[in-house]
Amino acid sequence: RRDSVPHFSSWAEHLTIFTNLAIIRSQVDLEGLVGAGGVSRPLQGQSPYVLNAGAMYMDPVTDLTATLSLNRVGNRVFVVGNVNEPDIWEKSRTFFDLQLAKSFYKGNLEIKFNIQNLFAQDQIFYQNDFNAAVSVNEITGLEALTNKLILGDSQNKNGYQEAHDNVIWQTNFGRVFSLAASYKF
């Protein structure tokens, strides 16, 4: 009987959850190059991972749709350095977006409200300071394993260390709000 099915079941029929994760290993071999500053480095602009995830709920009774989406990329080389000047890295950020959409007049009119970049994280470009007089504890255990699997580097040597890395520049783009309407004739 249809009326004996729990309410959650009918609610879940209209929920879509999606995700994908890409783990990427890129390496540029610099051995033997004069002024290269190292034996190897990741490819410029290539993140070690890209994560996309989201959820969408479509209510057939009210014609209301709510969508949350998340996108995150790992730290990546922004400008390639040399023996005198270290690489400039772009720190990873998480983008979190929300969209509410409502249909009217048998689906002919649709109004959408969007909020982009809900977290409004700063975009940070930095250089690692390997000569800093700061002792960094060696990463071990689960954190080291996770770093190895996701980042390809158990010690996250090129990761952003706020306490001693050099911030080259920092920007905050803020949140973006938009409202749109469309009508089908």
Side-chain angles (χ1 to χ4, degrees), residues 2-153:
R2 181 88 168 126
D3 60 346
S4 66
V5 176
H7 179 68
F8 175 78
S9 171
S10 63
W11 182 82
E13 289 176 8
H14 305 287
L15 178 67
T16 302
I17 297 175
F18 52 92
T19 187
N20 65 59
L21 172 67
I23 297 175
I24 303 116
R25 296 289 173 262
S26 66
Q27 188 172 353
V28 177
D29 183 5
L30 304 172
E31 195 171 338
L33 294 178
V34 176
V39 177
S40 67
R41 64 163 173 75
L43 185 65
Q44 179 185 10
Q46 180 66 65
S47 296
Y49 66 89
V50 177
L51 171 66
N52 297 294
M56 179 175 65
Y57 180 75
M58 298 172 51
D59 187 333
V61 175
T62 63
D63 283 329
L64 180 67
T65 302
T67 306
L68 292 170
S69 61
L70 176 134
N71 175 269
R72 182 171 175 86
V73 296
N75 297 342
R76 54 188 166 196
V77 174
F78 182 69
V79 175
V80 174
N82 57 45
V83 291
N84 297 319
E85 196 68 32
D87 296 332
I88 296 176
W89 288 79
E90 179 182 0
K91 182 182 177 294
S92 63
R93 291 184 295 158
T94 302
F95 291 92
F96 194 69
D97 302 333
L98 168 68
Q99 180 182 77
L100 299 174
K102 171 81 170 117
S103 293
F104 301 92
Y105 305 115
K106 298 180 184 177
N108 289 337
L109 173 64
E110 184 176 51
I111 297 177
K112 292 181 182 178
F113 174 68
N114 294 293
I115 305 173
Q116 294 176 305
N117 197 18
L118 274 166
F119 294 158
Q121 292 180 330
D122 288 351
Q123 182 180 33
I124 297 174
F125 295 91
Y126 65 95
Q127 287 178 316
N128 293 120
D129 186 356
F130 297 113
N131 298 319
V134 176
S135 77
V136 178
N137 294 333
E138 184 173 326
I139 299 171
T140 60
L142 185 58
E143 185 179 0
L145 176 62
T146 303
N147 284 346
K148 182 68 174 171
L149 293 174
I150 303 295
L151 304 175
D153 173 17

